[in-house]
Amino acid sequence: MTASGTFGYGREMAEMVDLNRLGALVVKTLQLEARPGNPSPRICETPAGMINSIGLPGAGIEHFLAEDLPFLRRYETPVILSVAGCRVEEYEALVRRADECEGIAAIELNISCPNVKQGGLAFSVDPAATAGVVSACRAATRKPLIAKLTPNVTSIAAIARAAEDAGADAIAAINTILAMAINVRTRRPRIATNVGGLSGPAIRPVAVRMVWEIASAVRIPVIGMGGIMNAEDALEFILAGATAVAVGTATFRDPAAALGVIDGLEAFLREQGIARIRELVGAVEVWR
Amino acid sequence: MTASGTFGYGREMAEMVDLNRLGALVVKTLQLEARPGNPSPRICETPAGMINSIGLPGAGIEHFLAEDLPFLRRYETPVILSVAGCRVEEYEALVRRADECEGIAAIELNISCPNVKQGGLAFSVDPAATAGVVSACRAATRKPLIAKLTPNVTSIAAIARAAEDAGADAIAAINTILAMAINVRTRRPRIATNVGGLSGPAIRPVAVRMVWEIASAVRIPVIGMGGIMNAEDALEFILAGATAVAVGTATFRDPAAALGVIDGLEAFLREQGIARIRELVGAVEVWR
Amino acid sequence: MGDRVAACAQCWNLPVVANRSPGGRYRELVLRAPELAARMRPGQFVNVRCAEGLDPFLRRPFSVYRMDRAGGTFSLLYDVVGRGTGMMARWEPGDAADVLAPLGNWFAVPDGGGPLALVAGGVGVVPLVALAEAVAPTGRPLHALLGARTADLLLGEADFRGLGATVDVSTDDGSRDHHGPVHSLLQALLDRGDRFDVVYACGPRAMMAAVSRVAEGAGLPCFVSMEAGMACGFGVCMGCAWRVRADEVKYRLVCTDGPIFDAREILWDMA
Amino acid sequence: MGDRVAACAQCWNLPVVANRSPGGRYRELVLRAPELAARMRPGQFVNVRCAEGLDPFLRRPFSVYRMDRAGGTFSLLYDVVGRGTGMMARWEPGDAADVLAPLGNWFAVPDGGGPLALVAGGVGVVPLVALAEAVAPTGRPLHALLGARTADLLLGEADFRGLGATVDVSTDDGSRDHHGPVHSLLQALLDRGDRFDVVYACGPRAMMAAVSRVAEGAGLPCFVSMEAGMACGFGVCMGCAWRVRADEVKYRLVCTDGPIFDAREILWDMA
Ligand SMILES: Cc1cc2nc3c(=O)[nH]c(=O)nc-3n(C[C@H](O)[C@H](O)[C@H](O)COP(=O)(O)OP(=O)(O)OC[C@H]3O[C@@H](n4cnc5c(N)ncnc54)[C@H](O)[C@@H]3O)c2cc1C
Ligand SMILES: Cc1cc2nc3c(=O)[nH]c(=O)nc-3n(C[C@H](O)[C@H](O)[C@H](O)COP(=O)(O)OP(=O)(O)OC[C@H]3O[C@@H](n4cnc5c(N)ncnc54)[C@H](O)[C@@H]3O)c2cc1C
Ligand SMILES: Cc1cc2nc3c(=O)[nH]c(=O)nc-3n(C[C@H](O)[C@H](O)[C@H](O)COP(=O)(O)O)c2cc1C
Ligand SMILES: Cc1cc2nc3c(=O)[nH]c(=O)nc-3n(C[C@H](O)[C@H](O)[C@H](O)COP(=O)(O)O)c2cc1C
Ligand code: FES
Ligand code: FES
């Protein structure tokens, strides 16, 4: 799978990457209305990672449904919509709208974006707020609902359980970790919103830990992400309990990173004589 | 300064590094009794960082006071004791014991170690528990008390305020971030305690953000740490609001890293024509 | 979204043919890539992976400098300013470079035979040399205006002369020719009666802003080659946004909507 | 705490003299370092920074292989198994290596003139060659027992022969000489009546465990060179702890209490 916000709306990637080979394509998070996004600079590099504060720019869900979805439907790959709003009602409206559309396999609730002023992060730092969004959306659709969680919490397991109890069909984790970098000569934060979200290999060990905690706490599937560069990284998440994995920041360095992960996983299964990757899900042998 | 647990008890480093040049030396966290520490493997490498689960091995505070402190007192560098226990009473006893000793400039309360079964992390994930330890220790000493906080929380500013209100003289941040890495061939976690603490440059952007949040929330000084490799890294923390900085994991790659930071800071001040480093504390110019 | 531009980009593993220093901190990296040399256009850029490991993590963008279609090579001219370019500086013939290319749009050259002004500040000369190289065979008059802080840092003069362009130089410290910023040189030429169909500019932001103001004052179209921090280079991270002139807040992506923009579009006073 | 051992360690910037392959995936890195060549002892190790950037992050430990005091060089022999050693394999004469040294304790050689058994598995031969090099001038009989999975992977035979040692070889697949694990070769020699003052062993953990059991059975002192994941190499991270035989849970540090241990101290069945 691709991680939301790192693969555009698929279109941008179509001539570089065979979209049909992807397990699923999660599009950049959509909102009800068009948004310009945050001021620049929006990104900066950090050791083995990067900080971003993009701020969910986009032309809005109607534009996507009219212009981009028809293009994606030419491919066989399941399309997962990612949506965000400032209030519960906006999430609900987005989900209701998506529910009507064919060619959308599932809906991911981005309740963990650190880079928008209202909403976003505010929901998934709190179990009750998480449950509120998820249950409202649950009532608005029969499509599978994925709750995407933030790592910026004391106990992600508690949030995941709240999402599960409120009717989420899966958990996606993790979104980015709040971070800051400062240009010591200009004394300015390197990101125009001062704080942004850290992603890339640097955060992988934190993401694997959180996926393990979530998988130990819920029964619904977990979609693991955070710094996956190759098949071995993906396997860490799978062993920790992820049923699926998503590639994000790696795509920026190598547009075909997601396909590389798929190829690598197949090679690993062959090498180890494992019939189905399911056998590896949660198969970590913890020390006691 | 040196970060606790990364410079031993000073003695190990004395022939590699001129201890007199350090701003302060924070020793490896001490407990009341001798402890063997955690089973191995205790460490593993990660992108631009490492995970550790050492588990506070050591011969106990009495051994330190008898064997190591006299050695350190031959140097001019202020010695800061780091202490940890399982219960508030143990912290109190440790602080009371240290209070009697000459040659101890301050006491750091490690209420954030992720790698001990009881105590440790449990305290500093909760404002009330943090306040409990700090105020008990406050009553037990007149020496400066530093509360060392964990980043594994939703709001580190709230915890820092609780420590300040309970009488801490300074905040140290951050300790390591909970993390996990898995050997995909053996399917074993790379650390025998399954989960350990992530440190090194990978976490620096998270640490800078947290120091900025803390410095914006409290009036007492903040000691910044997390992935500092050189003067420029240290300056990020200082601009974010740290009055002092500590070098941890960098020492493993370069035993003299802390001295390199000092030299680099001096060169930077000269180059920029800044008289005193105080002028830079919290001098980040945030975007509005 | 500009996907038509980045469309055919891909990762190439390109043999290093040479990595020489034309002086100062600058280096020219020549890469064997017959297909790219045939296909890339002046103004486009490539995204180079500098590190073997994960640090530095992101690729580094560089404009295409010279293209040798016959020889099947193209080159980059880069200033060794940091860790990524520091690593590149150590590459040797026989090494291979991981390069994502071609990226971005390219310079539009309007029909007609009138002279073109190419105004460069420092290493900003790179895409303008590429433009001159493409236009020179048509015989259209080219006038290069090269600015530098001091004469030693001047770059590209020999390239432009070799391509038959008229060259004028300005230095901030007066160590050569026109004394002052390069936009004042452009103004001086216009004042003495020089006429251009288009002004092309590349260099530090303040320099491009000043040049575009001079061009606007003279009623001349002006195209600039912009720089922004980039994570991907192909339009999906949305990190390279540049705010443009519009009634509402509006951004364009330097990597796929640019790097070449009509100067009238750009909001220069962005912090 | 072993601080007496690591005491004089420091970071050195050492010119690469050669980086050649003696066969297979192995490489010998020769470094110019007159002071270290004069000072280091067999069994000690050095900690090498492999990456220019921050990834891989930690140094990589390697035992000292050959020391040429006269020539002012010493060498490492390493197996290219991962990213760090992969980077090292590309170093060339003229490059410089950032090396933290000397680290760890060294082999103790008891007084007396009796023969010493040096039992090596794979690349574990390295510190034993260093030991043979140091002992050979005394004329004391050395008997090297070299184990490998298959004959092609055999390492160090020429070194030992050049130092005048008796060499016996065992291969797991029987492709050369004794067929079986190297501890069974040691057992066979003891059974036929060979006598040794001390057994020294280095190789995979299971191999060292087996050799030390054979030595213990024969009542011989046995010293082993241990490996553990290391962050610092000088005793402050406490990451390289190895559990030792004791009534309570007790660890020792491989980097400063070792890497050479009396085999009787080691708890082999640690996971
Ligand atoms: C479209 C485009 C074309 C470019 N063409 C050229 C060219 O032809 N020749 C050339 O020398 N340079 C060019 N650059 C700039 C070049 O990408 C940077 O100099 C390079 O990325 C620095 O990498 P580094 O790792 O050596 O420096 P770093 O260690 O990353 O940083 C050194 C300094 O450069 C700044 N910097 C880093 N990345 C960028 C960036 N992407 N844009 C602007 N500043 C940056 C940093 O803030 C810092 O001040 C171009 C940039 C863009 C976006
Ligand atoms: C005291 C000591 C002396 C050593 N002497 C030699 C020597 O003379 N020659 C030699 O070839 N090797 C020696 N080693 C092992 C050597 O340090 C590792 O092979 C090297 O660190 C691998 O680095 P890498 O980046 O290439 O591999 P990585 O990419 O880090 O890993 C490749 C594989 O090696 C394992 N590995 C990584 N680091 C270590 C480690 N420190 N110890 C054990 N396994 C590890 C990994 O788990 C992985 O399976 C020694 C190790 C120690 C502790
Ligand atoms: C530039 C950028 C933009 C992102 N945009 C979104 C987004 O729109 N919606 C979302 O849910 N997550 C977004 N993310 C988070 C990623 O989907 C992913 O959760 C996170 O980056 C961790 O994975 P990674 O390390 O593989 O990138 C974005 C991440 C980056 C780096
Ligand atoms: C191997 C290791 C051991 C540590 N031991 C301690 C300790 O005993 N007490 C403590 O308060 N912090 C300990 N820490 C945490 C550091 O003091 C520091 O807070 C953290 O590593 C972040 O800084 P760094 O990235 O510069 O290492 C340890 C860290 C490492 C890597
Ligand atoms: S660099 Fe990613 S969108 Fe432009
Ligand atoms: S490697 Fe750090 S204590 Fe041994």
Side-chain angles (χ1 to χ4, degrees):
Chain A
M1 289 180 44
T2 63
S4 177
T6 62
F7 216 78
Y9 305 104
R11 226 186 158 107
E12 300 86 342
M13 303 295 296
E15 305 204 21
M16 287 197 279
V17 172
D18 179 359
L19 300 186
N20 276 329
R21 293 202 50 217
L22 296 171
L25 194 157
V26 187
V27 300
K28 172 93 189 148
T29 300
L30 296 162
Q31 302 181 84
L32 280 177
E33 306 295 333
R35 290 284 156 80
N38 288 340
S40 49
R42 290 178 172 180
I43 54 161
C44 78
E45 192 183 48
T46 67
M50 62 177 281
I51 305 178
N52 87 81
S53 177
I54 307 297
L56 304 183
I61 187 163
E62 291 306 332
H63 183 271
F64 170 82
L65 295 176
E67 301 293 323
D68 298 300
L69 186 59
F71 172 84
L72 287 177
R73 292 194 57 192
R74 302 212 302 256
Y75 296 87
E76 291 155 25
T77 302
V79 173
I80 299 179
L81 219 67
S82 168
V83 298
C86 302
R87 290 165 300 112
V88 172
E89 295 71 35
E90 288 181 28
Y91 280 96
E92 213 183 324
L94 285 157
V95 168
R96 204 176 297 283
R97 182 72 183 88
D99 184 60
E100 301 159 4
C101 302
E102 284 194 48
I104 295 174
I107 305 168
E108 183 169 285
L109 304 174
N110 177 0
I111 51 175
S112 48
C113 180
N115 301 325
V116 285
K117 281 238 173 66
Q118 295 136 14
L121 199 57
F123 290 105
S124 95
V125 292
D126 180 62
T130 301
V133 182
V134 174
S135 54
C137 294
R138 178 73 291 164
T141 188
R142 290 200 170 165
K143 292 196 197 264
L145 271 184
I146 304 164
K148 180 157 178 186
L149 304 188
T150 177
N152 301 292
V153 294
T154 310
S155 167
I156 199 163
I159 315 272
R161 264 193 305 263
E164 179 181 41
D165 293 342
D169 298 295
I171 303 289
I174 59 174
N175 211 314
T176 53
I177 306 184
L178 285 172
M180 184 180 204
I182 301 173
N183 180 326
V184 302
R185 297 189 183 272
T186 64
R187 302 190 190 174
R188 284 265 185 201
R190 290 191 185 270
I191 299 277
T193 52
N194 301 315
V195 165
L198 184 64
S199 66
I203 70 167
R204 194 181 67 233
V206 179
V208 170
R209 185 262 298 181
M210 288 192 162
V211 164
W212 182 65
E213 288 178 355
I214 297 169
S216 312
V218 301
R219 265 155 316 200
I220 52 178
V222 183
I223 304 165
M225 72 195 79
I228 295 176
M229 298 296 290
N230 53 41
E232 192 171 323
D233 298 347
L235 282 162
E236 286 198 62
F237 283 87
I238 293 166
L239 289 167
T243 305
V245 293
V247 174
T249 305
T251 296
F252 303 156
R253 227 164 90 120
D254 172 10
L259 300 188
V261 169
I262 295 171
D263 293 340
L265 286 176
E266 283 166 3
F268 183 86
L269 294 183
R270 264 197 312 279
E271 175 204 312
Q272 302 256 316
I274 297 167
R276 296 177 334 130
I277 197 150
R278 276 218 74 88
E279 294 171 29
L280 294 178
V281 174
V284 60
E285 290 172 21
V286 295
W287 308 71
R288 285 165 212 287
Chain B
M1 291 180 44
T2 63
S4 177
T6 62
F7 215 76
Y9 304 104
R11 224 186 160 109
E12 300 86 341
M13 303 294 295
E15 304 205 20
M16 287 198 278
V17 172
D18 179 359
L19 301 185
N20 275 330
R21 292 202 51 218
L22 295 170
L25 195 157
V26 187
V27 301
K28 172 92 189 149
T29 299
L30 296 162
Q31 295 175 279
L32 281 177
E33 307 294 333
R35 291 283 155 81
N38 288 339
S40 50
R42 290 176 172 182
I43 53 160
C44 78
E45 191 184 49
T46 67
M50 62 177 282
I51 305 178
N52 88 80
S53 177
I54 307 297
L56 305 184
I61 188 164
E62 292 306 332
H63 183 270
F64 170 82
L65 296 176
E67 302 292 322
D68 299 300
L69 186 58
F71 173 84
L72 287 177
R73 291 192 60 191
R74 302 211 302 256
Y75 296 87
E76 290 155 24
T77 303
V79 174
I80 298 179
L81 219 67
S82 168
V83 298
C86 302
R87 289 166 299 111
V88 172
E89 294 72 34
E90 289 180 28
Y91 280 96
E92 213 184 323
L94 285 157
V95 168
R96 205 176 297 283
R97 182 72 183 90
D99 184 61
E100 302 160 2
C101 302
E102 283 193 49
I104 295 175
I107 305 169
E108 182 170 285
L109 304 173
N110 177 1
I111 50 175
S112 49
C113 181
N115 300 325
V116 284
K117 282 239 173 64
Q118 295 135 13
L121 199 57
F123 290 106
S124 96
V125 292
D126 180 63
T130 300
V133 182
V134 174
S135 54
C137 293
R138 179 71 293 164
T141 187
R142 289 201 171 164
K143 292 199 197 262
L145 270 184
I146 305 165
K148 181 156 178 187
L149 305 188
T150 177
N152 301 291
V153 295
T154 309
S155 167
I156 199 163
I159 314 274
R161 264 191 306 262
E164 179 180 40
D165 292 344
D169 298 293
I171 303 289
I174 61 175
N175 211 314
T176 53
I177 305 183
L178 284 173
M180 183 179 205
I182 300 173
N183 180 327
V184 302
R185 298 190 183 272
T186 63
R187 301 189 191 174
R188 285 265 185 198
R190 289 192 185 270
I191 298 278
T193 52
N194 302 315
V195 165
L198 184 64
S199 67
I203 70 167
R204 194 181 67 232
V206 179
V208 171
R209 185 261 298 178
M210 288 192 162
V211 163
W212 182 64
E213 288 178 353
I214 296 168
S216 312
V218 301
R219 265 157 316 201
I220 51 178
V222 183
I223 303 166
M225 71 195 79
I228 295 176
M229 299 293 292
N230 53 42
E232 194 172 323
D233 299 347
L235 281 162
E236 286 198 61
F237 283 87
I238 293 166
L239 289 168
T243 304
V245 293
V247 174
T249 305
T251 297
F252 304 156
R253 227 165 90 118
D254 172 10
L259 300 188
V261 169
I262 296 171
D263 293 340
L265 287 175
E266 282 166 4
F268 182 87
L269 294 182
R270 263 197 313 277
E271 175 204 312
Q272 302 256 314
I274 297 166
R276 296 180 330 134
I277 198 150
R278 277 217 73 89
E279 294 171 29
L280 294 177
V281 174
V284 60
E285 289 174 21
V286 294
W287 308 72
R288 284 166 212 285
Chain C
M1 292 304 316
D3 52 290
R4 284 151 309 279
V5 174
C8 40
Q10 64 180 91
C11 290
W12 308 77
N13 203 37
L14 304 179
V16 172
V17 174
N19 193 16
R20 58 188 164 231
S21 173
R25 275 191 325 200
Y26 300 107
R27 288 213 156 227
E28 183 183 3
L29 177 70
V30 185
L31 299 169
R32 176 160 318 283
E35 250 192 86
L36 286 172
R39 215 165 89 193
M40 287 196 295
R41 316 262 204 115
Q44 286 197 296
F45 67 100
V46 304
N47 223 347
V48 179
R49 178 169 164 188
C50 305
E52 225 182 296
L54 296 170
D55 178 68
F57 183 69
L58 298 171
R59 289 170 183 269
R60 299 291 188 254
F62 299 94
S63 296
V64 171
Y65 176 47
R66 308 274 333 210
M67 260 175 293
D68 179 355
R69 285 177 200 208
T73 66
F74 75 90
S75 76
L76 310 176
L77 181 70
Y78 60 100
D79 190 2
V80 180
V81 294
R83 296 192 310 141
T85 47
M87 289 181 174
M88 287 170 64
R90 276 185 291 282
W91 292 351
E92 288 170 12
D95 292 344
D98 174 351
V99 174
L100 179 61
L103 298 170
N105 67 359
W106 49 86
F107 288 113
V109 181
D111 294 337
L116 307 177
L118 311 179
V119 189
V123 74
V125 75
V126 174
L128 300 175
V129 167
L131 177 61
E133 192 182 63
V135 172
T138 69
R140 193 163 183 169
L142 297 167
H143 197 139
L145 288 66
L146 308 183
R149 244 180 314 119
T150 179
D152 291 346
L153 296 175
L154 210 65
L155 213 58
E157 187 174 1
D159 288 308
F160 285 117
R161 292 205 195 277
L163 292 163
T166 309
V167 179
D168 270 305
V169 167
S170 76
T171 50
D172 295 350
D173 64 354
S175 53
R176 241 196 82 182
D177 303 359
H178 182 88
H179 184 169
V182 70
H183 73 270
S184 69
L185 171 60
L186 175 63
Q187 187 66 61
L189 296 185
L190 291 169
D191 290 346
R192 81 173 186 201
D194 283 20
R195 285 296 163 260
F196 305 107
D197 279 6
V198 191
V199 175
Y200 298 93
C202 184
R205 189 196 307 176
M207 167 263 174
M208 290 194 282
V211 169
S212 68
R213 268 192 306 274
V214 170
E216 204 169 349
L220 296 177
C222 178
F223 293 94
V224 290
S225 176
M226 302 294 290
E227 271 193 26
M230 293 185 174
C232 71
F234 43 90
V236 301
C237 77
M238 310 207 177
C240 62
W242 197 282
R243 188 155 166 203
V244 291
R245 292 195 202 174
D247 293 337
E248 350 87 295
V249 177
K250 206 180 146 193
Y251 298 94
R252 300 198 64 194
L253 299 180
V254 172
C255 70
T256 48
D257 297 327
I260 314 304
F261 291 90
D262 185 325
R264 283 166 305 187
E265 252 198 303
I266 298 295
L267 201 67
W268 292 108
D269 52 1
M270 219 184 64
Chain D
M1 289 306 315
D3 53 290
R4 285 149 310 279
V5 174
C8 40
Q10 64 180 90
C11 291
W12 307 78
N13 203 37
L14 304 180
V16 172
V17 175
N19 193 16
R20 56 187 165 233
S21 175
R25 276 188 327 196
Y26 300 107
R27 289 211 156 230
E28 183 182 4
L29 178 70
V30 185
L31 299 169
R32 175 160 318 282
E35 250 194 86
L36 287 171
R39 214 166 88 192
M40 287 197 294
R41 315 262 203 115
Q44 286 196 296
F45 67 100
V46 304
N47 223 346
V48 179
R49 178 169 163 186
C50 305
E52 223 182 298
L54 297 171
D55 178 69
F57 183 68
L58 298 172
R59 289 171 183 266
R60 301 289 188 256
F62 299 93
S63 296
V64 171
Y65 176 47
R66 308 274 331 210
M67 259 175 296
D68 179 356
R69 283 172 203 213
T73 67
F74 75 92
S75 75
L76 310 176
L77 180 70
Y78 61 100
D79 189 2
V80 181
V81 294
R83 296 190 312 140
T85 47
M87 289 180 172
M88 287 170 64
R90 275 185 290 282
W91 291 350
E92 288 169 14
D95 293 343
D98 174 352
V99 174
L100 180 60
L103 299 170
N105 67 359
W106 49 85
F107 288 112
V109 181
D111 294 337
L116 307 177
L118 311 178
V119 191
V123 73
V125 75
V126 173
L128 300 176
V129 168
L131 177 59
E133 194 181 62
V135 172
T138 69
R140 191 162 183 168
L142 296 167
H143 196 141
L145 286 65
L146 307 183
R149 243 182 313 120
T150 179
D152 290 346
L153 296 175
L154 210 64
L155 213 57
E157 187 174 0
D159 288 308
F160 285 116
R161 293 207 194 276
L163 293 163
T166 309
V167 178
D168 270 303
V169 167
S170 77
T171 51
D172 295 348
D173 64 354
S175 53
R176 242 195 82 184
D177 303 358
H178 182 86
H179 184 171
V182 71
H183 73 270
S184 68
L185 171 59
L186 175 64
Q187 187 65 62
L189 296 186
L190 291 170
D191 289 347
R192 80 171 187 206
D194 283 19
R195 286 295 162 259
F196 304 108
D197 279 5
V198 192
V199 175
Y200 299 92
C202 183
R205 189 196 308 176
M207 167 262 174
M208 289 195 283
V211 169
S212 67
R213 269 192 306 272
V214 171
E216 204 168 350
L220 296 177
C222 177
F223 293 96
V224 291
S225 176
M226 302 293 291
E227 271 193 27
M230 292 185 174
C232 70
F234 43 89
V236 300
C237 77
M238 309 206 178
C240 63
W242 198 281
R243 189 157 166 202
V244 291
R245 292 196 204 176
D247 293 336
E248 351 87 295
V249 177
K250 205 180 146 193
Y251 299 93
R252 300 198 64 192
L253 299 180
V254 172
C255 71
T256 47
D257 296 326
I260 314 303
F261 289 92
D262 186 324
R264 282 167 304 187
E265 251 200 303
I266 298 295
L267 202 67
W268 291 108
D269 52 0
M270 219 184 65

